[in-house]
Amino acid sequence: AIGFVVLIGVSLINYRFLLKAAPYLYALGVVSLVAVYFFGAVINASRGWFIIPGIGMNVQPAEFAKLFIILMLAYFLARKDGEPLRLMRDVVPAGLIVFVPFVWVMIQPDLGNAVIYLVIMVGMLWIGNIKFFHVLFGLALAAGGIVGFIHVLNTFHDEIEQLLESMGAVHWMGRIEAFLDPEQASSDQTYQVNNSMRAIGSGALFGKGFLQGTSVHGNFIPYTYSDSIFVVVGEEFGFVGASALLLLYFLLIYRLVLISIQSSDSGGSYMIIGIISMLVFQVFQNIGMFLGILPLTGITLPFISYGGSSLIINMLSLGIAISVRVHAEEPSRETA
């Protein structure tokens, strides 16, 4: 109910107001990430939540930072007016915009949301007319980083494990090892992924029926109300139900793409592209990690998983998309 109030309220506001306020909202987001690191509550080994007393509501600043990054990058890229992005004057500053919240979220630690920040940046820079040479350079850098990471992980395994343990994130090591070499990983490291794939496969074509999932309701799958919600869909509604859910996501993304294309204002288009990048990656990552093709991270399935902060941000994002659709043809104050 709160989400729909937020969606309708934001859709009535001209998105250009949010675009102008982007630097202030971005600064607020960074301050909140710093504050939650020092004063936030620890949930699931991550210090990333403010607990509002009295009503027991948890607020996760890392979720809101996703939207603030989208607004800030849209504000930054809109000033280029479609011109090719230069490396030092455009691409590097955009990277710094994302790097600051990325670091603070990583040390919480919250790998899932930190990766989403990078995906948002890549998607928006791609549409922002980045040069092809810079794309190749970025791909080479990413490939080198992955190879270097695996080498360092194998060479300094014990030291890295001790560091992660001191950060309260020793489970990261297990997830990485289970993904890179599942045959050598322990049963504890592969427990959730293996049980998730069995549960999804057992749903077959039409599923076992609503609330009839034995793996899910037998407590074989952790966090079925949030991160693992797709496992519930796969087991109880089968291939048909899972495909229907993916079709709904496809229709949502398709409509967002149309809004972006039809918008006459580059700032509005960039905002939509950031939202699309965020939603597409979350869907791909959440479902992929339970099919064994991606490592486990704490990423929710948009609009389906339990989580107040996540739901509010997704509804806010759709409200912004509606605002772009409604107000894009209105002249800005500068040109009116």
Side-chain angles (χ1 to χ4, degrees), residues 222-243:
Y223 305 112
T224 53
Y225 57 89
S226 58
D227 296 353
S228 305
I229 192 68
F230 183 76
V231 181
V232 181
V233 176
E235 184 177 28
E236 297 187 357
F237 301 101
F239 177 80
V240 173
S243 298

Side-chain angles (χ1 to χ4, degrees), residues 127-151:
I127 301 299
N129 200 11
I130 189 173
K131 295 180 180 179
F132 186 66
F133 172 76
H134 295 159
V135 174
L136 292 178
F137 177 76
L139 290 175
L141 193 64
I146 293 174
V147 173
F149 171 77
I150 295 175
H151 174 72

Side-chain angles (χ1 to χ4, degrees), residues 3-320:
F4 274 110
V5 171
V6 169
L7 182 147
I8 296 173
V10 172
S11 66
L12 297 176
I13 300 174
N14 192 320
Y15 69 93
R16 293 184 180 90
F17 172 78
L18 296 175
L19 207 57
K20 292 179 181 178
Y24 307 102
L25 294 174
Y26 173 80
L28 176 63
V30 172
V31 170
S32 66
L33 290 176
V34 175
V36 78
Y37 177 75
F38 291 102
F39 308 109
V42 177
I43 300 177
N44 294 331
S46 177
R47 186 180 296 276
W49 281 264
F50 288 123
I51 298 179
I52 302 178
I55 60 176
M57 180 178 177
N58 300 337
V59 177
Q60 189 177 10
E63 288 285 345
F64 289 88
K66 291 187 291 190
L67 189 56
F68 296 155
I69 289 173
I70 291 173
L71 293 175
M72 187 62 197
L73 286 177
Y75 171 83
F76 178 77
L77 294 174
R79 298 185 301 171
K80 298 298 298 180
D81 198 26
E83 296 179 2
L85 301 180
R86 290 169 290 184
L87 181 62
M88 297 306 299
R89 298 191 61 178
D90 302 316
V91 178
V92 172
L96 292 176
I97 290 173
V98 177
F99 179 75
V100 174
F102 173 85
V103 170
W104 282 104
V105 171
M106 280 292 291
I107 63 177
Q108 289 183 2
D110 184 355
L111 177 63
N113 279 315
V115 173
I116 293 177
Y117 299 168
L118 299 180
V119 172
I120 290 172
M121 179 188 69
V122 170
M124 296 184 70
L125 287 179
W126 177 263
I127 301 299
N129 200 11
I130 189 173
K131 295 180 180 179
F132 186 66
F133 172 76
H134 295 159
V135 174
L136 292 178
F137 177 76
L139 290 175
L141 193 64
I146 293 174
V147 173
F149 171 77
I150 295 175
H151 174 72
V152 171
L153 183 67
N154 293 330
T155 305
F156 302 99
H157 180 277
D158 295 338
E159 291 81 355
I160 294 176
E161 191 170 26
Q162 292 176 3
L163 175 62
L164 292 176
E165 186 175 1
S166 66
M167 296 173 59
V170 69
H171 60 283
W172 281 12
M173 181 65 74
R175 292 178 175 181
I176 294 172
E177 291 176 342
F179 175 70
L180 294 177
D181 193 0
E183 294 183 357
Q184 297 298 324
S186 66
S187 58
D188 291 339
Q189 293 173 339
T190 59
Y191 173 86
Q192 185 173 358
V193 174
N194 289 340
N195 282 355
S196 297
M197 289 193 291
R198 292 191 190 99
I200 294 172
S202 68
L205 186 61
F206 296 105
K208 298 178 178 178
F210 183 52
L211 299 181
Q212 300 303 312
T214 54
S215 296
V216 171
H217 299 290
N219 295 322
F220 294 105
I221 309 295
Y223 305 112
T224 53
Y225 57 89
S226 58
D227 296 353
S228 305
I229 192 68
F230 183 76
V231 181
V232 181
V233 176
E235 184 177 28
E236 297 187 357
F237 301 101
F239 177 80
V240 173
S243 298
L245 177 60
L246 289 175
L247 177 61
L248 292 175
Y249 280 126
F250 172 80
L251 294 175
L252 174 62
I253 299 304
Y254 171 72
R255 287 297 303 165
L256 290 174
V257 170
L258 288 183
I259 294 174
S260 177
I261 292 174
Q262 295 169 358
S263 175
S264 59
D265 178 63
S266 60
S269 294
Y270 289 136
M271 292 167 71
I272 300 297
I273 293 302
I275 293 171
I276 291 173
S277 301
M278 175 182 71
L279 294 178
V280 168
F281 179 76
Q282 287 190 215
V283 172
F284 179 70
Q285 171 64 35
N286 182 275
I287 295 176
M289 64 186 182
F290 295 117
L291 298 180
I293 61 176
L294 291 173
L296 279 174
T297 56
I299 291 182
T300 57
L301 190 61
F303 305 106
I304 306 297
S305 294
Y306 173 88
S309 297
S310 174
L311 180 60
I312 293 298
I313 285 302
N314 291 329
M315 298 295 269
L316 264 171
S317 300
L318 291 191
I320 291 175

